Amino acid sequence: MVAPLGLIFMIRWMLLFASVCDGWQCTDLEMPDSPIRNLTLNQRKMELSWVSSMNFTEYSCSVNASGSMAKKKVRDTTCVFQRSIAPPLHNGASFTVTAVKINTTYSSICTFIPQGMPGTAIKNFSCVIYNVSLMNCTWHEGRDAPGDTQYFLYWQNSREEEEKECELYVKDENGRHMGCHFQNVTIKDTITYFVVNGSSKDSLIQFYDQYIDLYTIEKLPPPLNVTANCGGIQKDCIIQWQRPQISHSSKDRCFIYEVDIKHKANPEEKTKDTYITERKKNYTFQNFNKKKRYLLKIRAAGNGCLVNTAWGEWSAPVKFGNEEVISPSVLVLLLIAVATLLAAILTIFFCKRTGYWKAAFPQIPEPKNAFRVLPDTTLETECKMQSITPDTEEIILVAEVMK
């Protein structure tokens, strides 16, 4: 009985320690006599503080979480991890503070294990910014989350701002929050912190957090005022445009552009002309054929600034050039030919349907065969000659004499 009771006590003690760490109060277990005590973390500010019973000229603090480690040195008992190096904490974290004095190293460690039933935190969290200042964030429920689980999204655009909850949730058919729509979003030069908490009557729900550079999730709008100037006697066209409209950068050098030109007659064919230009807002399309019609579109991507390096949206197609024109006389002849053919087809169809076709075009009788074999009359002639009697012959001769 002693062993089981000891095991139960140890499990309860570990759960209590996990609960203490969830409140970000950590007690050093490896060095009970360490002068560095009472590690405390402000999760939203990623600020680690402690109490030291000895005077140290320098401390080294570090955090190890989600497979990455951030480390820095400070001269007092407060350590702030910049968002550029701070890792998310939803998978657990280990915080360490170390100091050296007279060749002796002192340290304090806090291992944090998130509370809640495993598999209840959200998954597949993602956000996108579009139309300059609109943002959508979406996620999926945890695979083991109870049916009554409800999620709540909070975000902090910078350390100086207060944490804000989503104002417009996107819900599924069961009323569960599965996304958030933001308006009037401003992209700043700092990383934004997102955290999604959950609640349920059946169990404790684990949280999910993530740091995001907002400019990396912005879907760039298309370039503005795209034009093609092909006038004059020149054989080239001058393509011009303006940079995309975004809220956090007005520098032309922050973009590269892709120019795409195709024949209008066959827009699905291989691109006629593709060109990528850096820091320029014009392009010369050579070998321009005035008898051809072209479709032009342009898109942009970030280049060397806090602008998303992925290609943005294409501009609306711009048509330029001239299509081959048919002369009026040829067009009239074509119309007359088509009209005549159509009238003939309709007339034939009408006549066949009403019976006038046979009346207008009666059936011609078959001609007689000029080479038809005459019946054999030889036998008949012989029979007639045999039927002449001698008396008849005499009468014939008398008649001839009288003549």
Side-chain angles (χ1 to χ4, degrees), residues 1 45 61-62 64 90 135 139-140 176 191 260 274 324 386:
M1 290 296 292
K45 294 183 178 181
C61 55
S62 64
N64 193 340
H90 59 270
M135 180 171 69
W139 58 82
H140 295 146
R176 178 180 291 177
I191 299 176
D260 181 87
T274 299
E324 297 182 4
Q386 292 178 1

Side-chain angles (χ1 to χ4, degrees), residues 235-394:
K235 296 183 179 180
D236 301 334
C237 289
I238 305 301
I239 312 297
Q240 294 180 315
W241 61 89
Q242 298 295 323
R243 64 174 181 81
Q245 181 183 0
I246 59 177
S247 63
H248 57 287
S249 179
S250 58
K251 300 177 181 178
D252 294 334
R253 63 178 179 83
C254 293
F255 299 93
I256 60 174
Y257 303 93
E258 182 178 6
V259 180
D260 181 87
I261 300 175
K262 289 185 174 69
H263 283 142
K264 180 187 174 185
N266 189 10
E268 301 300 327
E269 70 176 350
K270 186 177 179 181
T271 300
K272 176 67 177 177
D273 197 61
T274 299
Y275 180 75
I276 296 178
T277 174
E278 297 183 9
R279 303 180 181 180
K280 293 183 179 180
K281 295 182 294 182
N282 59 78
Y283 169 64
T284 301
F285 175 47
Q286 300 178 346
N287 300 322
F288 169 64
N289 188 341
K290 293 183 178 180
K291 295 183 179 180
K292 297 293 184 179
R293 192 72 163 168
Y294 299 91
L295 292 178
L296 162 68
K297 58 183 181 178
I298 305 175
R299 62 180 179 177
N303 179 35
C305 299
L306 298 181
V307 180
N308 192 358
T309 57
W311 288 111
E313 298 178 340
W314 287 105
S315 62
V318 174
K319 302 176 184 178
F320 68 96
N322 298 310
E323 296 183 6
E324 297 182 4
V325 180
I326 302 177
S327 63
S329 58
V330 175
L331 182 61
V332 170
L333 291 177
L334 288 176
L335 291 177
I336 293 174
V338 172
T340 303
L341 180 61
L342 182 61
I345 293 174
L346 292 176
T347 301
I348 294 173
F349 178 76
F350 175 77
C351 291
K352 284 190 174 183
R353 294 281 295 179
T354 58
Y356 286 106
W357 181 265
K358 293 183 178 180
F361 301 97
Q363 185 175 4
I364 300 174
E366 295 182 359
K368 294 182 179 181
N369 192 349
F371 300 97
R372 186 172 58 184
V373 179
L374 296 175
D376 191 358
T377 57
T378 305
L379 182 60
E380 182 179 355
T381 304
E382 291 179 357
C383 292
K384 288 183 179 182
M385 293 178 64
Q386 292 178 1
S387 63
I388 299 176
T389 60
D391 296 337
T392 304
E393 292 179 357
E394 293 179 358

Side-chain angles (χ1 to χ4, degrees), residues 176-191:
R176 178 180 291 177
H177 299 162
M178 302 303 295
C180 180
H181 178 71
F182 298 85
Q183 296 180 342
N184 302 320
V185 175
T186 301
I187 298 178
K188 300 183 178 180
D189 58 355
T190 57
I191 299 176

Side-chain angles (χ1 to χ4, degrees), residues 14-25:
M14 291 178 64
L15 292 176
L16 178 61
F17 175 75
S19 176
V20 170
C21 275
D22 184 58
W24 303 109
Q25 290 286 340

